[in-house]
Amino acid sequence: MEYKNILVEERDGVSVIRISRENKLNPLNVETLKEIKDAVSRSDSPVIITGSEKAFSAGADIRNFSGLKPETAYHFATEGHDVMDYIAGCDRIVIAAVRNYALGGGFELALACDFRIANREAKLGLTEVTLGILPGWGGTQRLKEMAGTGKALLLTSQGKMISGEEALSLGIVDFLADDPFEEAMKLARNYTGSPLKAVGMIKSLIRSRASNPYEDEKEAFGKVFETDDAREGVSAFLEKRKPVFRGR
Ligand code: COA
């Protein structure tokens, strides 16, 4: 797939996806989301999604909303959900490095990632209600899971923006940093050379919404013993040497 809205590079074993729209506030259209999904799917290493100096993303491209009818709006939401669910469900660690604005759909994209790193002054929020609409890419549920029902309702029903610092205190952001991208690189490097199959299974279990996650854990524990890295990790311990994991 040819990318028109993102830049992708490999850096120190980490896939870096930079949203790069013609407007530095990085409004998101479905084409951009599909490019992000494609880039994540092609990576077999940890992934960082980031934006510009000015914004991770100021949300869905509002220009696309003027002609929407109920059916086309539903389709637009479905396409967004597909991408967010893919990021949340894939077996790679995906980190959002957020500088300044992450609003509306941009915030929903960050919420779908596994970790969020933001600068103290970042402005984050599901602000859709200020346009008379609502979040349609999974934001209501993901924000509720992180901040709890009351806070999520308060913030979303008033379209409030909060700072990186407030988001950290609410458990929405995982780390604050003056340079969120460099901090994300540090975090991502913890996963290079790690047993990525086991990491992927751990992500899937911890993010699971399945009705019987304990059963899934037992199955995953069985499956992990099919991997080369499990054999390597256990042998290395017994042979008193450092394991060399290959992600297989
Ligand atoms: N979609 C499309 N265009 C957007 C946009 C979005 N989500 N957010 C900003 N833009 C555009 C503006 O229309 C403006 O375009 P122009 O230069 O052609 O006039 C440009 O980006 C700069 O925005 P501006 O509002 O002038 O910048 P600002 O620094 O004064 O304010 C924001 C920044 C982010 C606070 C403000 O742009 C904003 O509130 N954006 C919408 C946020 C939102 O509601 N997102 C949820 C969408 S579902």
Side-chain angles (χ1 to χ4, degrees), residues 57-106:
S57 164
D61 194 326
I62 298 168
R63 288 169 297 185
N64 293 335
F65 288 161
S66 32
L68 284 189
K69 300 262 182 300
E71 313 79 60
T72 43
Y74 179 85
H75 183 66
F76 180 83
T78 303
E79 288 191 297
H81 269 259
D82 173 64
V83 176
M84 305 302 165
D85 290 348
Y86 181 78
I87 291 169
C90 73
D91 63 3
R92 272 125 293 146
I93 293 292
V94 185
I95 304 165
V98 175
R99 189 184 274 289
N100 300 325
Y101 292 112
L103 301 176

Side-chain angles (χ1 to χ4, degrees), residues 13-33:
V14 177
S15 301
V16 178
I17 301 173
R18 191 174 292 280
I19 307 166
S20 179
R21 301 269 287 141
E22 84 286 1
N23 174 332
K24 288 291 173 218
L25 289 174
N26 279 333
L28 295 172
N29 53 10
V30 169
E31 184 184 54
T32 308
L33 290 185

